[in-house]
Amino acid sequence: MSDLASRLATGAFRLLSLLPLRTLQAVGAAAGRLMHARSAKFRREFDRNLAGAVPQADAALIRDAAAHSGRTMLELPWLWLRPRAEVLRAVVQVSGWETVERLHASGRGVVLLTPHMGAFEIAARLIGSRIPITVLYRAPRQAWLAPVMARGREGDGVSLAAADGSGVRRLLRTLKDGGLVGILPDQVPANGEGLWADFFGRPAYTMTLAARLTSIAAGTVMVFAERLPHGRGYHVHFIEPGLPVEGDTVQRVDAINRNVEALVRRYPAQYIWGYKRYKRPPGVERPAAVE
């Protein structure tokens, strides 16, 4: 992208942040439904992923899920660039925070897993306002977006750790010092950083880092920032895993996937079904049973 195009994109992103959250979510909902209706490629990926997890999905759920996918994108400027206090006021309800406090009080680290669902961008901001947290991140493909993303995510109790060797070492130090780390457990890792594991009945290349980190932590907590209807804000849930995350790395990877599945089944409309969860990273061979 040229310098001019980058400046225009950044300017447009900043202008969008000036709109009310309710407006951005409404426009996002319309955009998500339009993309689902007009883009055959997007619709195939979206519908296949959703049907694999929720076989009984009807037209209403598909429409609602497409709308939430659009909201996820259009609310980003507001979540990243509005004043931090204003963003936190959008969190109108919090459930289960006492679980994080109890585990943190043990003096050992805590791993918080936030799947690609709901307003996952606001979760770390809320946590950091209460207890400092270090979050794993991967730089965006669009270079112009990197400084905007860094500004929106970092600060006020939130530190970023790059998805590389130095970032991993930083996460390990944070846990050993009794701190909090945050990871998107369904982020597709690079070659050598994951293994093939079942996710809603299909092999998905799944990161092993989250599993390894849970082995040295006091506990694991699932986090979901539920997007409330009509732009009313967010309800952030902190949930103890229904299936204990324990055993060797393979067993922990499987347990994490099962817990993500359980959370998604509770709120199927808010998972980002268009995310290419089942893609094969470059250099990674597919399991023999997969065509």
Side-chain angles (χ1 to χ4, degrees), residues 121-185:
E121 288 286 348
I122 205 173
R125 181 61 55 207
L126 173 69
I127 297 164
S129 71
R130 299 180 175 196
I131 301 175
I133 183 172
T134 301
V135 179
L136 183 73
Y137 86 102
R138 182 171 295 167
R141 293 179 180 178
Q142 301 87 350
W144 68 268
L145 190 57
V148 179
M149 185 182 77
R151 175 188 167 184
R153 288 181 170 177
E154 197 162 25
D156 295 338
V158 180
S159 299
L160 300 181
D164 56 25
S166 64
V168 171
R169 289 191 293 272
R170 186 173 183 182
L171 294 177
L172 289 169
R173 286 196 303 270
T174 298
L175 285 177
K176 290 177 180 178
D177 290 341
L180 273 55
V181 302
I183 294 183
L184 276 71

Side-chain angles (χ1 to χ4, degrees), residues 161-219:
D164 56 25
S166 64
V168 171
R169 289 191 293 272
R170 186 173 183 182
L171 294 177
L172 289 169
R173 286 196 303 270
T174 298
L175 285 177
K176 290 177 180 178
D177 290 341
L180 273 55
V181 302
I183 294 183
L184 276 71
D186 52 348
Q187 183 85 46
V188 179
N191 185 15
E193 299 173 0
L195 54 83
W196 291 102
D198 183 88
F199 186 66
F200 285 118
R202 294 168 60 190
Y205 197 63
T206 306
M207 69 162 64
T208 55
L209 175 59
R212 298 202 313 269
L213 292 176
T214 63
S215 69
I216 63 173

Side-chain angles (χ1 to χ4, degrees), residues 91-97 126 130 234-238:
V91 179
V92 298
Q93 187 174 356
V94 177
S95 299
W97 175 250
L126 173 69
R130 299 180 175 196
Y234 307 97
H235 176 185
V236 181
H237 304 259
F238 296 91

Side-chain angles (χ1 to χ4, degrees), residues 269-283:
Q270 297 207 23
Y271 193 70
I272 305 178
W273 296 108
Y275 177 61
K276 295 182 179 180
R277 180 66 186 89
Y278 300 98
K279 69 181 180 181
R280 178 180 64 84

